[in-house]
Amino acid sequence: MSIVISLVLFAAAIAYVEWRLKSVNRSNDEADKHADSYFATKKEMKDYVGKTAKQRELDLQTINDRIASIEQRLFFSNDTKPKAPVEQIQPVTKKDVFFFKWPNEEGAFDDAEREPVATENTYYEFHLTSPTEAEFRFKTISETQLSKANNSSKKYIERACTFSTAKSSHYTCQPGKAVLKNGLWVITQKAIIEYQ
């Protein structure tokens, strides 16, 4: 009896071992399938990246060819056009804002003496409203400069501005108007200074 039990147990053990081997083989087959699928996908990706890189190079070459063609056409078209006079290519333009020291005794500013920026020596800021018309303001950049103008107001202020209150170190200015005639900015309306 014990021999029969031993044989049955031995047969069961062999059946279990065979079943496990088949199970391991099935797992290996599935792993192989997945590996094959992975490597196939990887190869497809490499092929796609290679094709994309080649396409990018072709697109870049096409763009460079088009740029060269356009540059060549521009070169030849510019060569055949008659040259415009220098005045037409780069017209001399005056800035919309400029500065003057003070007006002459007749109350006009010489356009040849305009300054591009405000300095300690400029007292008037002009803003063009048209090529021959401008608004202007009395404008100082320091208390020292204002004190100098207040002490000699007939020269620095009264030729171009009016004021009704006592002079002080603080002021506001309503703009005056001027027109350009024969190289002079002639005042048509004085600016109004309000001291505070």
Side-chain angles (χ1 to χ4, degrees):
M1 179 85 163
S2 63
I3 294 176
V4 173
I5 292 172
S6 295
L7 286 174
V8 169
L9 287 174
F10 182 70
I14 290 174
Y16 175 75
V17 169
E18 284 180 358
W19 176 78
R20 282 299 287 152
L21 285 172
K22 286 180 184 176
S23 172
V24 168
N25 285 339
R26 272 196 304 266
S27 295
N28 285 341
D29 289 344
E30 285 180 21
D32 287 344
K33 284 179 188 174
H34 288 303
D36 289 344
S37 173
Y38 168 76
F39 288 116
T41 303
K42 190 173 177 183
K43 184 178 182 310
E44 287 173 4
M45 287 178 70
K46 281 184 176 179
D47 290 345
Y48 177 75
V49 168
K51 287 177 184 175
T52 305
K54 285 179 185 174
Q55 186 61 46
R56 187 181 63 80
E57 287 175 13
L58 289 172
D59 291 345
L60 188 60
Q61 183 61 44
T62 302
I63 289 168
N64 287 335
D65 290 346
R66 291 190 71 190
I67 289 171
S69 172
I70 290 168
E71 286 174 345
Q72 187 176 20
R73 278 186 290 183
L74 284 174
F75 175 78
F76 285 114
S77 69
N78 285 340
D79 252 11
T80 57
K81 285 182 181 174
K83 300 292 183 192
V86 175
E87 302 83 61
Q88 292 178 5
I89 293 172
Q90 295 177 343
V92 177
T93 57
K94 297 180 179 179
K95 294 195 176 203
D96 290 343
V97 178
F98 47 92
F99 303 85
F100 285 107
K101 291 181 179 179
W102 52 83
N104 62 24
E105 291 180 3
E106 289 77 36
F109 298 87
D110 187 346
D111 191 54
E113 295 176 357
R114 73 165 61 185
E115 300 285 341
V117 293
T119 67
E120 285 282 338
N121 292 321
T122 60
Y123 292 84
Y124 290 91
E125 178 182 77
F126 274 63
H127 290 262
L128 289 179
T129 55
S130 79
T132 59
E133 296 177 341
E135 287 187 342
F136 69 91
R137 286 181 173 81
F138 177 76
K139 182 176 182 180
T140 55
I141 61 174
S142 71
E143 286 193 25
T144 305
Q145 184 185 17
L146 177 60
S147 177
K148 181 179 176 182
N150 284 339
N151 290 336
S152 301
S153 66
K154 288 198 182 299
K155 174 181 177 181
Y156 293 99
I157 299 173
E158 293 177 32
R159 294 175 184 173
C161 304
T162 60
F163 57 93
S164 58
T165 55
K167 296 176 222 165
S168 70
S169 59
H170 298 288
Y171 68 92
T172 59
C173 184
Q174 294 178 19
K177 294 183 180 180
V179 295
L180 183 61
K181 293 180 182 177
N182 301 320
L184 294 174
W185 287 96
V186 179
I187 296 170
T188 57
Q189 178 184 325
K190 286 188 173 186
I192 300 171
I193 298 175
E194 296 174 1
Y195 288 99
Q196 299 160 353

